[in-house]
Amino acid sequence: MTAPLKTPILPAGAAAADEAARVLAAGGLVAFPTETVYGLGADATNGQAVARLYEAKGRPAFNPLIAHVTDLAAAQALARFDIDAERLAATLWPGPLTLVLRRAAGCPVAELATAGLDSIAVRMPDHAVARAILTTFGKPVVAPSANRSGHVSPTTAAHVAADLSGRIDLIVDGGATPVGVESTIVACLGEPSLLRPGGVPRAAIERALGKTLAITPIPADDDDAPLAPGMLASHYAPHTRIRLHAGRLEPGEALLAFGASLPEGAVHSKKTLNLSARGDLIEAAANLFSHLRALDAAGARAIAVMPVPHEGLGEAINDRLARAAADR
Ligand code: TXA
Ligand code: MG
């Protein structure tokens, strides 16, 4: 979908929920209110829609996104709940709490949305408009705050329009968001840990858990900064060495290609996958993590990566490739 020049704003209601679901199903981007802040939603299972979402936000890096669902069964199709996570969900969902959990086997969320990580952030919002859109659409929706990267999170439809009009397909106006700060993020990947303070106070979480929370903060400006190091791997790291800016292929290497013309030696590649043969950066972003994983499994001595232009989503693609190359 190509975003309109000026993004339409629909008042919340059944017609808006239908239109939002239609736009999401077509791979488009819809801003909608949750109880915390306005989110910018895309079909979580559609890698190209997720790539467009990063582009609309102007994110210089692919930070992982929160998958929004309406019920526990839908959450369990995405993530594995340990006993702590079960307690938190039973007590505090729906509500402004996001759980970072192990990705479930068969989780349909696009690799780009979770930035190639083995964990996934899941949340069940407590807002009638968000719930109506999610229910009508019937699939998980990834939604970061609906602001341009580096700007503050929007709590009204007017804030969203000021940042994103003309860059997204639809804004659903459900009035000011009641909580006004983002959800609290708790990782349950071992001992539960607070990653971001937010709409649910820490004490309420500790009461539900019956124990205290460790604190592993992620930077407040989540849009630009990488995640904190420590127990959480901040980014996807392949086992195989990554060789960037490859102008020719060395023996035993696999090739991550970009564009139509392959480098010298490509015929001897252990395995070749193309991010986008037609040089489309949105398609390339959608393929990035799944291609890296597949090449990582090829038993090559290195993965040679062709240059990717440093424009549009290319900046984020190069950021992730540079981290993958450095991290060993
Ligand atoms: O209230 C909210 O949570 C809003 C509404 C729209 O739901 N959403 C929101 O999303 O604040 P966003 O993308 O602006 O912030 C999500 C944060 C980021 O800091 C991201 O790095 C972190 O969640 N996150 C997502 N997945 C993660 C993961 N697997 N591990 C660690 N952190 C993760
Ligand atoms: Mg944000």
Side-chain angles (χ1 to χ4, degrees), residues 54 59 62-66 112-117 119 121 144 227 234 320:
Y54 285 106
R59 277 197 173 180
F62 298 128
N63 277 343
L65 303 174
I66 300 171
L112 181 62
T114 50
L117 299 174
S119 59
L227 301 178
S234 61
R320 256 24 201 192

Side-chain angles (χ1 to χ4, degrees), residues 170-183:
L170 177 65
I171 299 171
V172 178
D173 185 353
T177 59
V179 176
V181 297
E182 296 93 337
S183 60

Side-chain angles (χ1 to χ4, degrees), residues 24-274:
L24 289 168
L29 306 177
V30 179
F32 61 89
T34 77
E35 76 277 36
T36 58
V37 299
Y38 274 72
L40 177 59
D43 177 353
T45 67
N46 179 339
Q48 298 224 17
V50 175
R52 272 186 224 112
L53 192 159
Y54 285 106
E55 185 175 66
K57 280 200 59 123
R59 277 197 173 180
F62 298 128
N63 277 343
L65 303 174
I66 300 171
H68 295 67
V69 296
T70 47
D71 57 67
L72 195 59
Q76 284 168 334
L78 309 184
R80 295 208 305 265
F81 284 68
D82 64 9
I83 183 75
D84 294 320
E86 274 173 10
R87 286 207 177 105
L88 291 175
T91 319
L92 296 164
W93 275 0
L97 171 70
T98 294
L99 297 176
V100 171
L101 307 170
R102 289 274 163 243
R103 224 180 130 107
C107 169
V109 171
E111 291 248 25
L112 181 62
T114 50
L117 299 174
D118 295 321
S119 59
I120 182 167
V122 186
R123 142 163 159 74
M124 191 192 293
D126 185 17
H127 190 286
V129 176
R131 294 182 68 81
I133 291 170
L134 290 168
T135 306
T136 308
F137 181 52
K139 289 206 273 181
V141 169
V142 282
S145 49
N147 51 282
R148 291 291 295 268
S149 183
H151 294 190
V152 295
S153 295
T155 56
T156 66
H159 295 165
V160 177
D163 254 26
L164 294 172
S165 190
R167 302 178 69 87
I168 65 177
D169 301 291
L170 177 65
I171 299 171
V172 178
D173 185 353
T177 59
V179 176
V181 297
E182 296 93 337
S183 60
T184 304
I185 305 181
V186 173
C188 294
L189 303 169
E191 274 310 298
S193 166
L194 179 69
L195 303 186
R196 177 177 77 180
V200 178
R202 182 171 159 196
I205 292 164
E206 294 184 334
R207 219 176 304 125
L209 285 172
K211 59 185 172 189
T212 54
L213 272 177
I215 300 183
T216 317
I218 44 179
D221 188 358
D222 54 62
D223 290 334
D224 297 307
L227 301 178
M231 61 176 285
L232 289 167
S234 61
H235 55 268
Y236 168 70
H239 300 287
T240 313
R241 188 169 66 84
I242 302 282
R243 190 167 69 81
L244 298 176
H245 314 295
R248 51 163 296 162
L249 209 69
E250 305 294 340
E253 287 185 330
L255 175 63
L256 185 62
F258 179 86
S261 55
L262 300 187
E264 199 187 319
V267 285
H268 302 299
S269 171
K270 280 276 230 186
K271 184 180 177 85
T272 297
L273 289 174
N274 203 323

